[in-house]
Amino acid sequence: MMKTVVKFGGSSLASAAQFQKVGKIIHSDVARRYVVPSAPGRRFGGDMKVTDMLYECYRLAEEDKNFQGALENIKARYMEIIKGLFLNFSIDEKFEEIAKNFRNKVGECYAASRGEYLNGIIMAKYLEFEFVDAAEVICFKENGNFDAEKTDEVMSKRLEGLQKVVIPGFYGAKPNGSVKTFSRGGSDITGSLVAKAVHANLYENWTDVSGFLVTDPRIVKDPVTISTITYREMRELSYMGATVLHEDAIFPLRKEGIPINVRNTNCPEDPGTMIVESTCNKPKYTITGIGGKKGFVSITIEKAMMNAEIGFGRKVLQVFEENGLSFEHTPSGIDTFTVYVHQSEFESKEQQVIADLHRAVQPDLIELESDLALVAVVGRGMRHTRGTAGRIFSALAHAHVNVKMIDQGSSELNIIIGVENRDFETAIQAIYEIFVIAQK
Ligand code: ASP
């Protein structure tokens, strides 16, 4: 029998009406047996996510201020959902317990986790599924690190034989029982851990967009949706700023070859984006996606005969390491070596780095250029298509974008282009036009 894990994000569970859509989705496919809810998200622009309300409420408790009003507002969010779903049960006791634990200052993680915990209980009642507390099955070590092995073992045992379950997202517990959360957006991780533990055929991640878009809709109006993307392509794109899914949700599944389908609760008829290990499904366009980030500095170190100096690159990179800076790219020429770093991290260390470089490699010249952006053109289809780079650069030239740096990864999965910050949007629009609009 097919097994599908379904995770619903906060906007999919923000109100009773959203719960009803979710209920319909779950009941329309018997394979949807494992449900992972987030906490209620925003119902409208300017609204607050319950997780944020919980953090704020707990802060009051920690500062020995009156938090009862803030907690009542959170309770009201759940009451509205319970009433709207015509469920007949009380959460008074749960809230008394939460208030007591807040007074005892049991911790911020516990506070934040109640958003998912309560939503899980409501969801289980609504669907008539069994509720399994994530604190039982998601294990953290005493030092707070996630314990993948133990989680897999405990969870697969606990879920064995259960037909239909709700497991709240975002948190687990340490061996002493204290609650620990993942980083924000962590319900995605819970979903993928459940999928791994039960050897699911599919992990559906339901959110409020119909999958991944080829590029940022703030830069290109109504970009097309990516129908299939590989884990590697996604990693390249999410690193460059495209985030729909928590990064750490990918690793547990990648190892198991379980595909992820990102879907839209508000448009369940849309097929969304499939994220897979590998596919022979040819992308519709040569490129899969365009990502990018602003705010880089390039440090170019020039020295005559550098190419003959063994250990030059190592010594340069060591300076960055010792200054606690991670580098992004290192394009080089015969007598030049350039390092790209994040401007925000570099600025305070600039003079130290220059001094250290002088000491380490005695360069003829060090040149800095700031306010640079990196654009990543990603696509498994590029490997088999001649002229991709040519098309990118002629599109950029036509758009009057000056290319500062080019780096094609050896996997031929991506081409990274350095441009000035002010050309960033134009560069992405030009590349989108040449590959998507011209090919439509
Ligand atoms: N509710 C948590 C957050 O807002 C976790 C999640 O939604 O995935 O970050």
Side-chain angles (χ1 to χ4, degrees):
M1 186 184 169
M2 289 278 288
K3 286 183 205 165
T4 303
V5 173
V6 284
K7 180 258 164 178
F8 291 90
S11 59
S12 303
L13 300 168
S15 63
Q18 289 299 90
F19 260 74
Q20 280 160 346
K21 290 186 195 167
V22 166
K24 254 196 204 147
I25 291 168
I26 294 170
H27 291 310
S28 69
D29 183 346
V30 286
R32 293 178 176 139
R33 292 171 44 196
Y34 305 91
V35 180
V36 177
S38 278
R42 292 188 192 93
R43 293 160 294 181
F44 43 81
D47 195 16
M48 248 178 122
K49 290 182 176 187
V50 163
T51 309
D52 292 320
M53 295 169 86
L54 283 161
Y55 278 121
E56 238 182 78
C57 180
Y58 185 69
R59 198 175 38 78
L60 294 175
E62 249 187 351
E63 291 168 0
D64 292 318
K65 293 190 179 141
N66 184 354
F67 63 85
Q68 211 52 47
L71 197 58
E72 283 302 322
N73 289 341
I74 298 169
K75 188 173 174 188
R77 291 286 308 261
Y78 289 103
M79 294 301 294
E80 185 189 308
I81 295 172
I82 293 172
K83 274 208 188 117
L85 296 175
F86 307 106
L87 295 174
N88 191 12
F89 77 101
S90 160
I91 47 169
D92 291 349
E93 262 179 41
K94 297 279 177 215
F95 271 87
E96 275 159 30
E97 188 185 314
I98 292 171
K100 190 174 121 220
N101 285 329
F102 274 32
R103 272 191 296 274
N104 291 337
K105 301 183 183 153
V106 292
E108 193 185 48
C109 281
Y110 165 83
S113 75
R114 295 307 87 185
E116 271 69 11
Y117 172 76
L118 293 164
N119 234 15
I121 291 177
I122 297 172
M123 176 66 94
K125 294 256 192 251
Y126 179 55
L127 297 171
E128 297 180 354
F129 278 25
E130 188 158 339
F131 175 78
V132 172
D133 189 353
E136 277 183 61
V137 290
I138 301 274
C139 311
F140 286 85
K141 297 179 187 165
E142 213 52 77
N143 66 7
N145 288 344
F146 174 60
D147 191 336
E149 244 170 72
K150 189 167 167 206
T151 297
D152 201 40
E153 194 190 309
V154 172
M155 176 130 58
S156 38
K157 233 187 243 146
R158 178 70 176 87
L159 299 184
E160 206 182 327
L162 296 184
Q163 280 309 306
K164 292 173 173 233
V165 227
V166 174
I167 307 126
F170 191 36
Y171 70 95
K174 294 189 199 173
N176 66 6
S178 66
V179 169
K180 172 91 181 87
T181 58
F182 291 115
S183 57
R184 295 299 303 264
S187 299
D188 286 345
I189 311 174
T190 310
S192 84
L193 294 169
V194 174
K196 181 178 189 307
V198 302
H199 304 296
N201 306 87
L202 180 64
Y203 171 28
E204 288 178 344
N205 192 294
W206 292 81
T207 166
D208 54 4
V209 289
S210 294
F212 288 91
L213 301 173
V214 166
T215 194
D216 188 338
R218 285 166 302 187
I219 300 176
V220 169
K221 195 167 173 278
D222 295 331
V224 293
T225 306
I226 301 172
S227 60
T228 307
I229 185 168
T230 64
Y231 286 123
R232 285 171 71 204
E233 288 174 315
M234 204 180 82
R235 167 106 179 94
E236 303 274 355
L237 281 174
S238 61
Y239 178 68
M240 279 296 185
T243 43
V244 176
L245 202 65
H246 195 294
E247 275 250 294
D248 296 342
I250 297 165
F251 293 101
L253 297 185
R254 197 174 167 170
K255 279 198 188 144
E256 300 283 308
I258 301 170
I260 308 175
N261 191 191
V262 176
R263 304 277 298 261
N264 189 347
T265 302
N266 304 319
C267 300
E269 58 290 346
D270 287 353
T273 299
M274 283 298 282
I275 311 166
V276 297
E277 166 72 39
S278 185
T279 175
C280 53
N281 168 327
K282 286 240 165 60
K284 183 163 174 205
Y285 310 103
T286 310
I287 58 159
T288 304
I290 314 161
K293 271 189 198 164
K294 284 183 178 177
F296 292 93
V297 178
S298 71
I299 302 107
T300 298
I301 301 127
E302 198 176 313
K303 187 178 184 186
M305 304 303 287
M306 172 221 287
N307 60 331
E309 195 175 320
I310 291 173
F312 188 90
R314 177 184 53 75
K315 286 182 209 156
V316 167
L317 293 180
Q318 197 168 352
V319 169
F320 287 87
E321 182 185 345
E322 282 165 4
N323 279 282
L325 290 166
S326 73
F327 65 90
E328 300 295 312
H329 291 278
T330 56
S332 60
I334 296 287
D335 286 334
T336 59
F337 189 92
T338 304
V339 183
Y340 273 74
V341 293
H342 286 275
Q343 192 159 337
S344 56
E345 291 165 20
F346 178 72
E347 269 165 353
S348 62
K349 299 176 175 170
E350 173 189 278
Q351 295 308 315
Q352 187 63 46
V353 171
I354 293 176
D356 291 349
L357 284 170
H358 273 288
R359 232 165 283 135
V361 292
Q362 296 85 43
D364 299 333
L365 185 72
I366 296 178
E367 226 171 23
L368 303 185
E369 185 164 1
S370 62
D371 301 311
L372 297 175
L374 296 173
V375 175
V377 186
V378 176
R380 60 190 183 281
M382 299 198 307
R383 200 180 308 171
H384 310 288
T385 317
R386 251 180 301 137
T388 308
R391 288 171 73 195
I392 294 175
F393 297 117
S394 72
L396 293 177
H398 276 111
H400 305 286
V401 172
N402 184 19
V403 174
K404 298 258 163 202
M405 192 269 298
I406 305 163
D407 187 355
Q408 176 168 30
S410 38
S411 59
E412 288 186 61
L413 197 65
N414 63 3
I415 295 178
I416 312 270
I417 302 138
V419 299
E420 285 174 34
N421 272 351
R422 60 160 189 240
D423 285 337
F424 179 68
E425 286 84 5
T426 314
I428 291 183
Q429 283 154 0
I431 298 168
Y432 183 83
E433 259 168 48
I434 197 82
F435 285 101
V436 181
I437 297 186
Q439 217 172 303
K440 253 186 183 174

